[in-house]
Amino acid sequence: MADWQEITGGITAPRGYQAAGITAGLKPSGLPDLALIFSEVEAIAAGVFTTSQVKAACVEYCRQRLQAKQSARAILCNAGQANAATGTQGYLDTLESAMAIAQALHISSESVLLASTGVIGQRIKMDALRSGIPKVVAALSETGSDAAAGAIITTDLVTKSIALETTISDRSVRIGGIAKGSGMIHPNMATMLAFVTCDAVVSPHLWQQMLARAADRSFNSITVDGDTSTNDSLIALANGQSRTPAITELGAEAEKLEAMLTAVCQHLAKAIARDGEGATCLIEVQVTGAYDEISARQIAKTIAGSSLVKSAIFGHDPNWGRIAAAAGRAGVPFEQENLQIKLGNFLMLENGQPLQFDRAAASAYLKKASVGAYLQQDTVLISVNIGNGYGVGKAWGCDLSYDYVKINAEYTT
C-alpha cells in the first residue's frame, strides 16, 4: 500500500500556492492559453529540461535562472507559440515576459520561471501577452489549478492533474502537479510541460536530485512516437509551508517525499502517454530479471516505443513476436532461453519457447482496453522477464492509430 492518499486540488493543494489560467488571445482557437502558478513565499526550485541542441528561449532562460538561484515564486506559461528557433528577438521576448509578470506580482524577475508551448519557429504574441498578464494575475486563486491545467494544453484531449498527501513528522505534506503533452513524446525528455508544487521544507540540492530521479522513472520512461521537442520542461517548487522539519539529507523522510514525488510524476506521465495523439489505450511494459534498473527500463522503453508493437496493439493482434524482437534489440544482453513474455494474463513465451494460448481471448483483451475508462480499464499490460537479476523497470506508451498521421499531417495547416 502506498504511504499517501490522493486528494483534490492539483497544484494548489499544497499550502501557500495559487494558480490561474485565462484566454489572452495567444492561440488561434480562442481557447485558454496563459497560465500562472504563484507561491506566496519564496520556494526552492528545481528543473529538468530538454536535452535537444535546439532549445526554446524559455528553456535557456530557466537553466540560467536556476544555475544562479535555486528558488522562485512564479511560473508563467504561454500556449500557442513555442518561441523556439526564434533567435535573439525570441530571447528578448522571454526577458520581457519575466519582467512584466514580476512587476505585476511585485516580485523580483529573478524569482520568475517561464515555459512556452506551441508551434516551433513562432515568437510569442507579445501584445496579447502584455495585455493578458494583469488578467492572469487578477485571476490567481487557491482553487485555480484546473484553470491553469486547461491553459497549458495544445493538442491534448484532456487536462492532466494530480495531488497526493502524506504525513512527515506528524504534519501533512502535499505534492500537486499538472502537465501537458500528447504528441512528440519520447525520452529525453518527452514533448511535455509539467509543473509540480510541494509544501515540504527540502534543501535545494536534494530537491534537484529527487526531481531528476523522479523524471527518469516517469517522464523519461514514456513514448508516443519517438520524437522529442525544444521546450520540454519539468519544474518543481517546494515552499516549506507545511512547517515540517527541513529535509536536508537522505533518510526515511527523504525517501517518503521522493516516493510521493515520483508517484505524482508517474501519474502525469501515464496521463500524457494515454493521451497520445490518436491513441485508444495506454501500454504499460514491466521488465524484470535484468542486471539493474537502468537495463530493465531500457528494454521496457524499447518495447513501448516499437511502432510494430504499437500497431499490433491498435489492431488487437496479440503478436508477441514483435515484443520479443523489440526486447532483443534494446541493447541489453540477456540469454534468449530465459525470455518470458506475457500479455495481460496470457503467457505466450516461457524459457524462450512459444506456448499455446487463446488468441481470440488475447485479442479480446486488447479490444476491451481500447474502449476502457480513461486511466482505469484502458491499460494493456506487457510483462517481460529476461533472467534472474534484481533489476526492475517500467515504461509507458500508447497504441499507434490512423489518426496519429492525420493529426500531425495537418498540424500547422
Side-chain angles (χ1 to χ4, degrees), residues 35-86:
L36 177 62
I37 302 166
F38 181 62
S39 174
E40 295 170 2
V41 298
E42 195 77 7
I44 298 303
V48 180
F49 302 96
T50 180
T51 58
S52 173
Q53 295 302 303
V54 181
K55 299 177 181 65
C58 58
V59 171
E60 296 286 7
Y61 168 88
C62 285
R63 284 181 180 277
Q64 293 178 21
R65 277 283 175 261
L66 291 175
Q67 286 175 358
K69 176 186 175 185
Q70 292 177 295
S71 66
R73 289 190 65 184
I75 303 170
L76 180 70
C77 178
N78 73 278
Q81 300 84 45
N83 198 25
T86 50

Side-chain angles (χ1 to χ4, degrees), residues 157-298:
L157 297 179
V158 297
T159 57
K160 290 95 177 167
S161 177
I162 184 69
L164 300 177
E165 181 179 44
T166 192
T167 300
I168 294 178
S169 298
D170 297 323
R171 296 187 67 87
S172 68
V173 171
R174 300 170 182 173
I175 299 180
I178 61 173
K180 67 85 55 182
S182 185
M184 294 180 74
I185 303 296
H186 194 67
N188 285 302
M189 286 169 44
T191 298
M192 46 145 285
L193 300 177
F195 308 117
V196 174
T197 57
C198 175
D199 55 18
V201 184
V202 57
S203 68
H205 181 67
L206 191 58
W207 188 234
Q208 178 64 51
Q209 289 181 331
M210 288 180 177
L211 189 67
R213 286 191 292 264
D216 280 342
R217 292 168 177 155
S218 58
F219 300 112
N220 284 339
S221 293
I222 60 173
T223 182
V224 169
D225 48 18
D227 272 298
T228 61
S229 188
T230 55
N231 293 56
D232 316 331
S233 301
L234 166 60
I235 299 172
L237 304 179
N239 68 5
Q241 293 301 287
S242 65
R243 307 300 183 187
T244 52
I247 299 174
T248 59
E249 58 186 21
L250 295 177
E253 293 182 343
E255 290 176 2
K256 179 185 281 191
L257 185 67
E258 182 174 339
M260 190 165 71
L261 173 63
T262 301
V264 165
C265 291
Q266 286 184 342
H267 175 90
L268 296 173
K270 287 191 283 186
I272 289 173
R274 173 60 185 90
D275 198 27
E277 291 167 343
T280 69
C281 66
L282 177 71
I283 300 173
E284 178 172 317
V285 183
Q286 299 180 354
V287 175
T288 58
Y291 173 74
D292 55 19
E293 180 185 353
I294 294 175
S295 300
R297 282 209 314 267
Q298 181 61 33

